[in-house]
Amino acid sequence: MQEFFYMDGKALYVWGSYGVTLVALLAGLALARLRKKRILREIKESLEQ
Amino acid sequence: MIFTVVLVAGLGCAVALALYGMRQNIMLFHTPSEVAAGEVPGNRLFRIGGLVVAGSVIKADDGLTTDFGLTDLNQSITVRYTGLLPDLFREGQGIVAQGVLNEGGVFVAQEVLAKHDENYMPPEVAASLKEYRDSLPKSMAEYGRKAP
Amino acid sequence: MWKFLHRLSSLKYFYEWSGKWVPWLLGLTAVLMLVGLYWGLLVAPADYQQGESYRIIYVHVPSAWMSMFVYVVMAGAGFVAIVWRTKLSEIVVSECAIIGATFTALALVTGMLWGKPTWGTYWQWDARMTSELILLFLYFGIIAVHSVIEEPRTAARVASILAIIGVINIPIIHYSVTWWSSLHQPNMQLISKTPSVHPSMLYPLLVMATAFQFYFVSLLLIRMRNAILYRERITNWVKNSLARD
């Protein structure tokens, strides 16, 4: 198990690559979700006026 | 529409011409053959690429300086480098070195980078592949090397 | 046929059917991603030359492939936008730019992280790396056009022209390692009787590449739906569909 995380001593590079990739992919989805909420709120507010 | 087509065609030609003109600069490195043919101007920093000649790696007594032969299977050149070599540096491996050619015809490198190829396989497969090749008559083994 | 295409390109119709597809696409993306990560990190063997660090291939190569694939999709949509002036294709152009820029940045960053332990350097100005960096700037240019030009239809036209011109960079990226000497490895031979990647390492790579494809389609649909909501916020169908929710 420890060997798995050690990655031949290249852990920083290997886990760094997987880390930035996952963060970027998840951030893409999260930002899109936030934008949708914002647009919906805007439309609702304009409807109430 | 016509404007777009003209714009695209024009820019395409411009890029193609620019790339053609820059051909020499886009090449990352020169080969030992080019150096032997005197095509590389001296007293200037440049990069050289090739394979590390098997059995040519000599460590100096200081433990840091390494001499090795670099070949493009046509011409060879001696490269001298002081410093830590990358993990992938080994005999038969492709490398790219940056440095200058001294009067003795030795390439004094300031940086040595390891190249790797597009082949990926587990160690067992690599070992059995090598065993298989070694078992072949020499001429066939050479042929096998060209088509792995 | 034309009637069907026309209906498909209507924003309202697109919004309705894409809403049904998104959850399934996202689910499939998650499953493929988990299978690919497990296979690539835990099942696939280490490489005979590079050892464990080669595992960066499973995020680097799919990102790099997608960076080019998304560009071709964007340029294709740009062509449709210029010739037929459909709003839907204009939206594809603007939304692809941001997703494509992300994949390109990922390909560059993971490539640098792979380069340091294998080559011995993060960066070299070789043809492959330089042309991929140019791809990132092309994406930035298209994003910039959309944010500078306020009228969305004019922005779409300019962005589409830029996208189409930039297509020339795609074959340059692909053949850069063949045409010029480079530090980057040559292209992998995958469609061949003897692929240059052993099957035990190739299959997880293909799973990851498929996962990235599904991620792209999912995020593209989600982002396009947002763009449609925003563009059509004053129309009745948007207000009505909100009232129903």
Side-chain angles (χ1 to χ4, degrees):
Chain A
M1 197 64 193
Q2 220 161 12
E3 215 170 275
F4 171 67
F5 287 111
Y6 183 64
M7 285 283 162
D8 276 359
K10 312 284 169 57
L12 204 66
Y13 303 107
V14 177
W15 296 120
S17 311
Y18 279 84
V20 288
T21 307
L22 289 183
V23 167
L25 297 188
L26 290 175
L29 291 173
L31 287 175
R33 212 189 161 81
L34 278 178
R35 173 140 194 259
K36 180 168 189 179
K37 275 189 185 153
R38 224 173 23 236
I39 297 169
L40 288 180
R41 202 184 323 126
E42 218 173 279
I43 300 174
K44 284 217 173 93
E45 276 164 12
S46 73
L47 280 179
E48 280 154 16
Q49 277 161 14
Chain B
M1 194 62 219
I2 295 167
F3 170 75
T4 314
V5 171
V6 171
L7 194 69
V8 172
L11 270 151
C13 290
V15 171
L17 275 173
L19 283 175
Y20 185 77
M22 282 162 37
R23 263 163 68 95
Q24 282 308 313
N25 290 337
I26 301 179
M27 289 291 182
L28 187 72
F29 52 79
H30 295 281
T31 60
S33 291
E34 286 171 30
V35 174
E39 287 169 19
V40 184
N43 284 329
R44 186 171 68 82
L45 204 64
F46 68 95
R47 287 192 205 89
I48 191 167
L51 303 170
V52 178
V53 178
S56 73
V57 181
I58 303 160
K59 284 256 177 209
D61 292 336
D62 64 2
L64 270 176
T65 303
T66 315
D67 277 20
F68 57 91
L70 194 68
T71 180
D72 55 2
L73 304 176
N74 192 10
Q75 292 283 342
S76 315
I77 189 169
T78 304
V79 177
R80 180 167 301 148
Y81 177 64
T82 306
L84 233 55
L85 291 159
D87 286 0
L88 270 187
F89 180 91
R90 55 194 73 159
E91 292 174 359
Q93 183 77 31
I95 64 126
V96 178
Q98 179 165 273
V100 286
L101 205 60
N102 72 8
E103 294 84 29
V106 173
F107 187 83
V108 182
Q110 301 170 355
E111 184 183 43
V112 172
L113 303 175
K115 256 175 84 81
H116 63 88
D117 60 18
E118 69 279 28
N119 298 309
Y120 297 87
M121 59 184 118
E124 310 88 71
V125 176
S128 62
L129 205 65
K130 188 176 180 301
E131 208 169 278
Y132 170 71
R133 276 191 192 136
D134 291 349
S135 72
L136 296 172
K138 199 162 182 282
S139 57
M140 271 183 80
E142 280 305 316
Y143 176 77
R145 211 175 301 269
K146 274 176 201 134
Chain C
M1 175 68 189
W2 284 112
K3 211 172 167 187
F4 170 74
L5 275 181
H6 186 75
R7 206 159 93 93
L8 196 68
S9 71
S10 112
L11 298 187
K12 174 174 180 282
Y13 182 70
F14 176 86
Y15 191 85
E16 281 161 3
W17 72 255
S18 62
K20 293 184 193 116
W21 280 79
V22 164
W24 294 100
L25 288 166
L26 276 178
L28 212 53
T29 306
V31 170
L32 283 165
M33 200 68 91
L34 287 174
V35 171
L37 285 175
Y38 178 78
W39 201 343
L41 284 170
L42 288 157
V43 182
D47 180 55
Y48 78 119
Q49 287 276 5
Q50 299 184 37
E52 303 286 347
S53 60
Y54 96 97
R55 292 187 199 279
I56 296 174
I57 202 173
Y58 297 116
V59 286
H60 173 70
V61 168
S63 303
W65 282 345
M66 291 312 292
S67 73
M68 295 157 77
F69 178 81
V70 174
Y71 196 93
V72 174
V73 170
M74 180 176 74
F79 182 77
V80 174
I82 285 177
V83 178
W84 288 288
R85 302 189 171 224
T86 46
K87 274 190 192 170
L88 198 64
S89 51
E90 294 176 3
I91 294 173
V92 173
V93 173
S94 71
E95 301 310 314
C96 274
I98 294 149
I99 306 175
T102 312
F103 282 129
T104 313
L106 277 177
L108 288 166
V109 170
T110 55
M112 289 167 81
L113 287 171
W114 195 1
K116 187 65 184 170
T118 28
W119 302 328
T121 183
Y122 286 111
W123 188 264
Q124 273 290 309
W125 290 100
D126 87 346
R128 174 53 69 82
M129 288 165 233
T130 310
S131 55
E132 183 76 8
L133 187 65
I134 290 173
L135 182 69
L136 184 65
F137 291 149
L138 278 171
Y139 278 124
F140 284 166
I142 288 157
I143 295 168
V145 164
H146 281 106
S147 62
V148 168
I149 304 175
E150 296 208 348
E151 210 284 300
R153 306 219 64 176
T154 318
R157 265 186 91 68
V158 178
S160 299
I161 293 172
L162 185 58
I164 293 167
I165 294 169
V167 164
I168 185 138
N169 193 36
I170 298 296
I172 292 178
I173 296 174
H174 181 80
Y175 290 109
S176 56
V177 287
T178 316
W179 291 342
W180 302 294
S181 64
S182 63
L183 186 60
H184 195 280
Q185 62 161 67
N187 292 320
M188 296 182 289
Q189 301 300 318
L190 300 184
I191 308 159
S192 123
K193 253 189 266 169
T194 51
S196 69
V197 182
H198 192 265
S200 59
M201 303 155 145
L202 178 60
Y203 294 144
L205 179 60
L206 296 180
V207 172
M208 282 302 273
T210 318
F212 273 57
Q213 280 282 356
F214 273 96
Y215 172 86
F216 163 58
V217 177
S218 313
L219 185 59
L220 180 62
L221 289 186
I222 294 171
R223 291 195 65 106
M224 285 174 71
R225 286 166 59 78
N226 283 348
I228 290 170
L229 263 190
Y230 186 72
R231 276 199 194 199
E232 306 279 287
R233 62 190 179 282
I234 41 168
T235 61
N236 278 329
W237 73 264
V238 166
K239 288 176 183 166
N240 288 340
S241 75
L242 281 183
R244 255 188 283 129
D245 287 342

